[in-house]
């Protein structure tokens, strides 16, 4: 499955990020904790240059805690300040504040020495639907930015005061024009960064089931109360993967999704599995490890 999604506004957003980078003291890069590798925009290094950066593994409530911990060590070993976060709660706030203070220490000291009030500006960036606006609202303690359960909600930049002397720039989600491999596109689509309107949901769901069968078959076996099928993922066949298709049909049967005439409604099964995976109903599942 080849996913390529680069709506016109994304090139404009990239230009806007480049234009605004000199105004900020800090970049807060939100990654999806379930796919920290696939959700990293390779264009960001060139845009952010040597600006201080915090990596925030957002939606950590949906990812496997042990694997998130391994990712945090991985980023720290590679010289990046990183924290895990659930933007719908307040758990990581004090740790984040500590980190921001550490990274902006020099500027704050300089302003203090000159008797100025401290002002810090941070740009919040990340792929569509990763939770940028939700994160900003959490920090600000009010719903200043529009959020939504689909990619492409934020369309323009917006400054939001998180607290006195700390302003955050909300930005539209950006992807990059070419994914390095097809698996990256599949993971971005499965976690909700790519609009479902451009995708064949059955194929996407089969691809997701193929990944889950390799890393965590318990996630769907328990959710859909299936016996261990001991599935062999096998070679891809035309129209998808035979084992994943068989699995999707079993899920459809388990849920009683039937078409007129009695065939299994695989489309409805696919929509259900994708929704439930995205909503965390298959448990806390990370699709990528740092090793
Ligand atoms: N479970 C969970 N859901 C989250 C978290 N952060 C955000 N969400 C949900 O993810 C969806 C997208 O959130 P937004 O804040 O609109 O995402 P965004 O990155 O601003 O998206 P765009 O503006 O479209 O680029 C919403 O349904 C949020 O409730 C999180 O940490 N955990
Ligand atoms: Mg947004």
């Amino acid at each position: 499955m080849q996913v390529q999604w680069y709506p016109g506004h994304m090139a404009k957003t990239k230009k806007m990020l480049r234009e605004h980078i000199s105004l900020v003291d800090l970049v807060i890069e939100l990654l999806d904790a379930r796919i920290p590798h696939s959700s990293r925009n390779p264009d960001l290094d060139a845009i952010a240059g040597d600006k201080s950066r915090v990596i925030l593994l957002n939606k950590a409530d949906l990812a496997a805690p042990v694997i998130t911990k391994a990712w945090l060590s991985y980023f720290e070993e590679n010289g990046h300040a990183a924290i895990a976060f659930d933007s719908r709660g307040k758990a990581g706030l004090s740790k984040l504040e500590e980190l921001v203070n550490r990274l902006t220490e020099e500027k704050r000291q300089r302003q203090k020495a000159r008797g100025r009030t401290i002002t810090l500006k941070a740009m919040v960036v990340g792929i569509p639907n990763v939770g940028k606006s939700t994160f900003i609202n959490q920090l600000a303690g009010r719903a200043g930015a529009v959020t939504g359960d689909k990619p492409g909600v934020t369309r323009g930049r917006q400054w939001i005061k998180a607290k006195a002397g700390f302003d955050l720039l909300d930005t539209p989600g950006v992807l990059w024009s070419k994914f390095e491999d097809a698996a990256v596109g599949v993971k971005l689509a499965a976690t909700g960064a790519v609009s479902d309107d451009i995708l064949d949901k059955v194929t996407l769901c089969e691809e997701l089931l193929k990944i889950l069968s390799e890393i965590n078959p318990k996630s769907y076996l328990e959710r859909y109360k299936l016996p261990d099928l001991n599935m062999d993922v096998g070679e891809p066949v035309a129209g998808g993967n035979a084992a994943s298709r068989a699995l999707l049909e079993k899920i459809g049967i388990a849920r009683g999704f039937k078409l007129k005439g009695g065939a299994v409604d695989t489309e409805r099964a696919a929509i259900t599995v994708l929704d439930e995976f995205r909503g965390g109903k298959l448990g806390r599942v990370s699709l990528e490890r740092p090793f």
Side-chain angles (χ1 to χ4, degrees), residues 232-246:
D232 168 14
V233 279
E235 289 301 309
V237 294
N241 180 291
S244 299
R245 170 58 62 97

Side-chain angles (χ1 to χ4, degrees), residues 58-59 61 86-88 129-134 148 152-154 173:
N58 197 42
K59 302 197 179 183
D61 55 305
D86 165 8
S87 287
R88 301 204 290 194
N129 205 31
V130 70
K132 298 174 293 298
S133 303
T134 306
V153 171
T154 304

Side-chain angles (χ1 to χ4, degrees), residues 34-271:
R34 296 165 295 178
I35 51 165
H37 167 69
S38 295
S39 57
R40 263 206 114 177
N41 189 338
D43 299 338
L44 188 65
D45 281 347
I47 295 170
D50 54 8
K51 270 297 155 190
S52 296
R53 205 186 308 182
V54 173
I55 290 179
L56 201 98
L57 298 182
N58 197 42
K59 302 197 179 183
D61 55 305
L62 298 176
V66 178
I67 299 177
T68 299
K69 237 174 133 182
W71 275 109
L72 291 176
S73 309
Y74 166 85
F75 283 119
E76 265 146 39
E77 278 158 23
N78 287 281
H80 294 291
I83 58 171
F85 215 82
D86 165 8
S87 287
R88 301 204 290 194
K90 291 190 182 302
L93 281 179
S94 57
K95 202 158 175 208
L96 177 71
E97 197 168 331
E98 213 176 279
L99 205 57
V100 169
N101 284 344
R102 178 154 64 76
L103 290 170
T104 55
E105 176 74 25
E106 218 183 283
K107 169 156 185 182
R108 288 185 306 111
Q109 292 302 342
R110 240 185 2 247
Q111 289 180 334
K112 219 165 129 188
R114 290 182 193 155
R116 293 198 186 148
T117 45
I118 292 168
T119 60
L120 294 174
K121 287 184 164 52
M123 180 189 267
V124 178
V125 297
I127 57 166
N129 205 31
V130 70
K132 298 174 293 298
S133 303
T134 306
F135 164 73
I136 289 173
N137 288 344
Q138 184 60 262
L139 247 62
R142 65 188 173 90
V146 181
T147 65
D149 190 13
K150 58 173 190 193
V153 171
T154 304
R155 282 306 173 99
R157 63 177 191 273
Q158 183 185 5
W159 283 104
I160 293 193
K161 198 166 271 313
K163 58 178 191 175
F166 189 36
D167 293 341
L168 296 170
L169 183 62
D170 191 14
T171 67
V174 248
L175 292 168
W176 40 107
S177 52
K178 196 139 187 58
F179 300 139
E180 54 273 35
D181 70 52
V184 169
V186 166
K187 288 176 195 167
L188 287 167
T191 50
V194 171
S195 171
D196 269 351
D197 301 343
I198 66 143
L199 299 163
D200 173 44
K201 293 187 192 77
V202 170
T203 309
L204 174 61
C205 186
E206 286 173 5
E207 294 288 340
L208 173 63
L209 288 171
K210 203 154 71 178
I211 299 173
L212 292 176
S213 70
E214 283 159 14
I215 57 163
N216 189 345
K218 250 175 83 178
S219 59
Y220 55 76
L221 292 175
E222 285 180 359
R223 175 73 190 167
Y224 303 109
K225 301 190 174 54
L226 302 176
D228 191 343
L229 305 167
N230 193 17
M231 61 176 265
D232 168 14
V233 279
E235 289 301 309
V237 294
N241 180 291
S244 299
R245 170 58 62 97
L247 176 56
L248 185 58
E249 285 181 359
K250 288 206 164 61
I251 293 171
I253 292 166
R255 281 291 167 98
F257 296 158
K258 291 253 174 74
L259 294 168
K260 272 189 204 137
V264 187
D265 189 345
T266 45
E267 170 103 20
R268 190 165 166 210
I271 292 169

